[in-house]
Amino acid sequence: MTTRQSKSNGKRPAKVSKVRFGQGGELHQTSSVSDERLTTNHGVPLSDNQNSLRGGRRGPTLLEDMILREKIQHFDHERIPERIVHARGSGAHGFFELTKSLAKFTRARVLTEVGEKTEVFVRFSTVAGGAGSVDTPRDVRGFAVKFYTKEGNWDLVGNNIPVFFIQDAIKFPDLIHSVKMEADRGYPQSASAHDTFWDFVGLMPESTHMVTWAMSDRTIPRSFRMMEGFGVNTFRLVNSKGEGTFVKFHWKPRLGLQSTCWDEAVKIAGADPDYHRRDLFDAIASGSFPEWEFGVQLFSQQEADALPFDILDATKVVPEELVPIRIVGRLVLDRNPDNFFAETEQAAFLPTNVPPGIDFSEDPLLQGRLFSYQDTQLSRLGTVNFHQIPINRAKGCPFQNLQRDGHMQMQVFKGRANYEPNSLAEAGEIGGPRADPEGGFRSFQLPIEDRKVRLRSESFGDHYSHARLFYRSQSEIEQAHIASAFVFELSKVSLDHVRTRVLSNWRNVDEDLAQRIANGLGIELPAKSKAFVEPKDMEPSAGLRIVGKYPLTLMGRSIAILVTDGADGRIFKALVKQAEAEGATVKIVAPKVGGVMLKGGTKLPADGQLAGMPSVLFDAVALVVSEEGCTELLREGAATDFVAHAFGHLKAIGFTRECQPLLDKANVQPDEGVVNLTDNMDLFFTHARTRLWEREPVVRLLS
Ligand code: HDE
């Protein structure tokens, strides 16, 4: 028996690529790996990476083998604790560009220098599931942006819904415990459809507004690229005179706000658990960069006082109709992370990261967040020095202070002074940095003189008006989806009293909605719960809808072409040409991954095999098949599902004449969106730009 040797010849010199010195004077090593020789973590070259050190060929492994021990030990500790919430996330690099100056309201450079580009790192996430959970549960999405500004990092840690479940940070652990896996059984993973969540919700009327949003299609987004983002909490801008203006932050996707259908989201979870992560990565890799407009709603204290709700209450939305959104910048994501762990996983977002000119409000939810994020990084990243990890480092400016040492200190400081004040500079030594009273961060001079209390302001007491506003602002389609989502979720609740309490609360929101839910569940409507503050009717806000807001475009959408042997290559080519010209992605799906032989003998390789690339992964499908091909497909369940699901999920279906038997088998009923490609390819593309909402009553009994 011969011993297998490592292929490394051991002659090439070990090379550490790209070593540069950071602004703090420390050695900062970028980690691009070269193909030079392997070493241990301490630089000792390896002669063999295949065999551990043994006492004889067949003898026991020796404790002395430091190479084996180092490698295994590093591997044993490869995982760090995942985030307690928002554990499942995907990130990307990009830039923010200011298009309109807010100099009147703030002295933060990032919001005053028009045309200046600021580097950003963005992380999107689900909330409830673990790091390895699927991308498409019904859940709120995180939308966290780290701006590396010239005045320090600004982290705008937002969500894709503008309000939140609770008003006070002290309820956050309860909320999250209720929605995560139930304590005794350890399930469900990443789902709100269970007893404990709805128990909490029913007992906390302040959650009514957010839960109504959560039951809307906002929580089943089509793509991260097609989500709105919100800062949620009210913040303050502070100008050079020290004057404060309240601000709400908004992100508006250039591709419009789009969602999946619930049944589709459920099926995607099986077909591609990484659906959103892949979509983001592929879009950036192909040069189709996701983009958002950045907007602000600005209002003074007087304007805030005139609003019929409290702007410090994060369960309330400020309708665009009351305070318009001014678009002042754009965000473009143009670079994928090189390493998921080092960047996306180790990214630490802190709502406390604000440059001079941006400040907090007294929102009691935000105030709690100001403590939590810094604290959670310690258990997740294990050190107070997590700000030195490359993804978290302030890159736009130097950072320097007299904080020292600690676990995993990366900086090598020079000099004796690690305290301030000191007078070492007078002796020609390094004295160290000092505070800057002019340019440094100054808090808004908020007058406070009051009693210490544990009390909620009465102005936070109206729990239903905004939920009513949201529901009544929706299109009919969206209202039906909301009612159906409630029915689905509450059908999974096993405790009758929990369900009943939820319905009692929602009667305060809208009687029709409560009745629809009760009908869908097949139960009697219970008595209405007593509202602390009687809900008021507000003017519906079109800005709160999804349907009708997105642009009718193929840009960023994806089309599957199902082909078989003998398919018509001309139709295929024409489809691809038009789709790609309009910015859509085309994928070729075939019975076998090796591809098909088109009529005339051209070989066409496939992007995916039918069972592995179902129609749920696409926005529209075209069926370009031959007669024989169709006969084969009739015997394949995945083909029937491909067509039936496309129809059921309200997608445009283009087909060639030969495909009729498959359409019949899949029970596709002719409508405007089922288009013979030979007759009218343009019509297919018209419908591929949106969903055929009018088909929904044909395929689904909605509540
Ligand atoms: Fe978070 N939240 N949160 N949250 N949150 C975290 O911080 C917390 C809240 C949001 O991609 C944690 O670094 C409290 C609102 C996002 O890394 C933790 C309260 C909003 C992310 C934490 C809230 C958010 C987090 C877990 C109530 C929308 C992911 C890991 C007072 C504005 C950021 C971490 C990323 C993450 C605490 C409420 C958004 C535990 C105490 C409201 C997008 O610190």
Side-chain angles (χ1 to χ4, degrees):
M1 198 163 71
T2 53
T3 311
R4 283 183 60 204
Q5 288 295 330
S6 157
K7 280 191 185 152
S8 161
N9 60 15
K11 282 184 191 146
R12 285 176 297 178
K15 188 174 94 181
V16 175
S17 51
K18 289 194 195 161
V19 177
R20 65 185 158 87
F21 290 87
Q23 282 144 328
E26 84 288 18
L27 186 67
H28 174 53
Q29 199 169 295
T30 60
S31 46
S32 48
V33 175
S34 76
D35 58 0
E36 303 298 329
R37 75 187 177 191
L38 272 173
T39 72
T40 66
N41 282 338
H42 301 280
V44 177
L46 263 59
S47 62
D48 182 346
N49 191 32
Q50 315 299 331
N51 299 292
S52 48
L53 188 67
R54 281 182 283 267
R57 286 188 177 200
R58 301 179 59 253
T61 303
L62 302 181
L63 184 59
E64 176 195 322
D65 188 353
M66 79 295 189
I67 293 169
L68 172 75
R69 275 187 290 116
E70 182 195 84
K71 186 171 176 181
I72 297 281
Q73 186 174 45
H74 196 274
F75 169 78
D76 289 344
H77 297 268
E78 266 181 14
R79 290 292 166 272
I80 59 173
E82 64 180 36
R83 291 163 173 83
I84 168 66
V85 283
H86 296 266
R88 168 94 188 156
S90 306
H93 297 270
F95 65 86
F96 170 75
E97 184 181 5
L98 193 72
T99 50
K100 288 213 174 74
S101 172
L102 290 174
K104 199 172 147 209
F105 306 98
T106 179
R107 67 189 179 104
R109 259 193 83 107
V110 61
L111 297 178
T112 60
E113 304 306 299
V114 172
E116 192 165 287
K117 288 187 177 167
T118 304
E119 251 189 84
V120 298
F121 183 74
V122 177
R123 183 174 178 273
F124 303 107
S125 48
T126 56
V127 179
S133 59
V134 299
D135 274 348
T136 54
R138 176 176 296 285
D139 199 356
V140 180
R141 298 300 189 281
F143 193 132
V145 184
K146 189 182 281 292
F147 300 71
Y148 301 95
T149 90
K150 290 190 170 144
E151 297 167 305
N153 288 351
W154 174 29
D155 295 356
L156 184 52
V157 196
N159 278 344
N160 75 331
I161 289 183
V163 290
F164 203 62
F165 294 96
I166 46 169
Q167 297 173 324
D168 189 314
I170 202 163
K171 296 311 298 168
F172 191 66
D174 298 300
L175 165 73
I176 298 303
H177 286 172
S178 83
V179 72
K180 281 213 162 226
M181 306 169 296
E182 294 190 8
D184 56 351
R185 57 212 68 189
Y187 65 80
Q189 173 67 257
S190 196
S192 52
H194 59 115
D195 285 321
T196 56
F197 175 69
W198 287 97
D199 186 30
F200 181 78
V201 161
L203 293 165
M204 295 287 294
E206 70 197 55
S207 69
T208 311
H209 184 205
M210 174 71 165
V211 172
T212 312
W213 280 80
M215 292 304 107
S216 79
D217 294 347
R218 299 248 179 181
T219 45
I220 43 172
R222 155 69 180 84
S223 156
F224 292 135
R225 300 175 291 137
M226 300 169 192
M227 284 188 337
E228 290 183 344
F230 306 90
V232 181
N233 301 112
T234 302
F235 286 82
R236 263 198 187 85
L237 297 183
V238 185
N239 65 17
S240 46
K241 292 185 213 145
E243 297 159 341
T245 306
F246 289 118
V247 61
K248 290 269 184 189
F249 295 111
H250 294 256
W251 297 110
K252 291 191 172 282
R254 198 162 74 87
L255 298 175
L257 169 61
Q258 298 184 43
S259 289
T260 56
C261 300
W262 173 239
D263 180 68
E264 190 185 10
V266 169
K267 292 186 165 72
I268 292 171
D272 186 2
D274 308 303
Y275 186 62
H276 286 150
R277 183 173 289 177
R278 190 189 310 279
D279 172 273
L280 181 68
F281 195 90
D282 284 353
I284 294 175
S286 70
S288 169
F289 301 139
E291 188 169 335
W292 286 260
E293 288 178 327
F294 178 65
V296 288
Q297 283 176 297
L298 298 168
F299 45 99
S300 64
Q301 183 68 60
Q302 288 77 355
E303 284 164 325
D305 293 342
L307 291 169
F309 52 87
D310 196 327
I311 53 108
L312 298 183
D313 172 359
T315 68
K316 303 295 187 292
V317 69
V318 182
E320 294 178 35
E321 287 76 7
L322 294 184
V323 182
I325 300 177
R326 310 183 194 195
I327 301 300
V328 297
R330 69 184 188 118
L331 165 73
V332 178
L333 298 181
D334 58 4
R335 183 162 66 86
N336 280 316
D338 290 317
N339 184 276
F340 180 86
F341 181 85
E343 301 177 89
T344 310
E345 194 58 19
Q346 293 200 121
F349 293 89
L350 309 164
T352 33
N353 276 354
V354 286
I358 301 180
D359 203 354
F360 318 113
S361 74
E362 299 72 70
D363 170 350
L365 192 74
L366 176 59
Q367 294 281 315
R369 296 181 72 204
L370 300 182
F371 161 70
S372 179
Y373 291 65
Q374 174 82 19
D375 183 51
T376 207
Q377 310 310 343
L378 297 186
S379 74
R380 207 165 70 73
L381 299 167
T383 165
V384 283
N385 290 316
F386 67 85
H387 59 282
Q388 298 185 28
I389 298 173
I391 195 69
N392 297 325
R393 276 176 53 103
K395 301 190 212 180
C397 57
F399 79 84
Q400 48 181 352
N401 55 46
L402 298 159
Q403 292 165 35
R404 291 288 182 270
D405 308 345
H407 197 50
M408 294 290 158
Q409 177 57 258
M410 306 284 166
Q411 291 180 284
V412 183
F413 298 101
K414 291 200 170 126
R416 291 196 278 169
N418 56 2
Y419 58 97
E420 190 270 344
N422 70 65
S423 62
L424 298 195
E426 288 171 28
E429 293 192 35
I430 301 168
R434 295 289 190 273
D436 171 5
E438 279 310 303
F441 182 85
R442 268 174 291 141
S443 296
F444 174 69
Q445 299 291 296
L446 179 79
I448 34 174
E449 200 170 319
D450 213 333
R451 283 177 307 138
K452 282 202 283 188
V453 290
R454 283 190 188 275
L455 283 176
R456 242 6 111 90
S457 163
E458 298 212 337
S459 57
F460 281 37
D462 175 359
H463 301 318
Y464 300 117
S465 301
H466 279 232
R468 177 179 290 179
L469 161 71
F470 176 72
Y471 181 68
R472 294 192 183 165
S473 298
Q474 303 303 304
S475 64
E476 260 182 55
I477 303 158
E478 288 162 280
Q479 288 188 338
H481 290 184
I482 291 172
S484 301
F486 270 103
V487 171
F488 175 89
E489 297 261 320
L490 292 172
S491 299
K492 297 262 185 180
V493 165
S494 67
L495 302 170
D496 285 342
H497 75 278
V498 167
R499 236 187 251 147
T500 313
R501 193 181 290 119
V502 169
L503 276 178
S504 301
N505 286 351
W506 257 268
R507 284 192 68 175
N508 288 300
V509 175
D510 187 279
E511 287 287 4
D512 174 56
L513 171 61
Q515 189 62 61
R516 286 166 90 161
I517 303 171
N519 290 348
L521 293 169
I523 62 172
E524 290 290 314
L525 204 54
K528 195 196 269 196
S529 66
K530 172 108 190 65
F532 180 67
V533 173
E534 278 305 314
K536 298 178 278 290
D537 290 342
M538 294 171 75
E539 204 50 49
S541 163
L544 304 181
R545 288 184 202 146
I546 300 176
V547 174
K549 265 175 74 183
Y550 51 80
L552 297 179
T553 170
L554 287 183
M555 188 77 77
R557 293 168 79 79
S558 63
I559 298 178
I561 309 184
L562 175 59
V563 287
T564 63
D565 283 333
D568 187 336
R570 283 168 313 166
I571 294 195
F572 167 79
K573 273 195 202 131
L575 275 169
V576 175
K577 193 169 163 206
Q578 187 163 345
E580 291 186 344
E582 290 192 44
T585 313
V586 177
K587 294 274 186 234
I588 300 156
V589 182
K592 292 180 184 164
V593 76
V596 296
M597 200 64 87
L598 294 172
K599 190 161 80 184
T602 317
K603 176 84 183 165
L604 182 69
D607 295 305
Q609 193 264 339
L610 193 49
M613 256 198 188
S615 62
V616 289
L617 304 177
F618 302 95
D619 297 296
V621 299
L623 316 168
V624 183
V625 305
S626 64
E627 218 170 296
E628 303 75 51
C630 184
T631 309
E632 278 280 292
L633 291 181
L634 290 175
R635 295 170 42 230
E636 172 53 68
T640 326
D641 286 349
F642 190 89
V643 179
H645 292 162
F647 188 70
H649 300 144
L650 319 177
K651 292 169 184 175
I653 302 178
F655 65 98
T656 52
R657 184 184 49 78
E658 297 81 1
C659 204
Q660 192 61 50
L662 185 61
L663 294 176
D664 293 340
K665 188 166 181 217
N667 205 16
V668 169
Q669 291 150 60
D671 68 21
E672 244 202 285
V674 182
V675 186
N676 185 324
L677 293 166
T678 329
D679 293 349
N680 196 346
M681 196 176 286
D682 281 345
L683 188 62
F684 166 70
F685 282 113
T686 302
H687 292 297
R689 295 184 179 103
T690 176
R691 265 182 218 265
L692 288 115
W693 298 113
E694 53 286 5
R695 186 192 291 160
E696 194 151 44
V698 178
V699 294
R700 204 162 292 123
L701 271 179
L702 289 166
S703 297

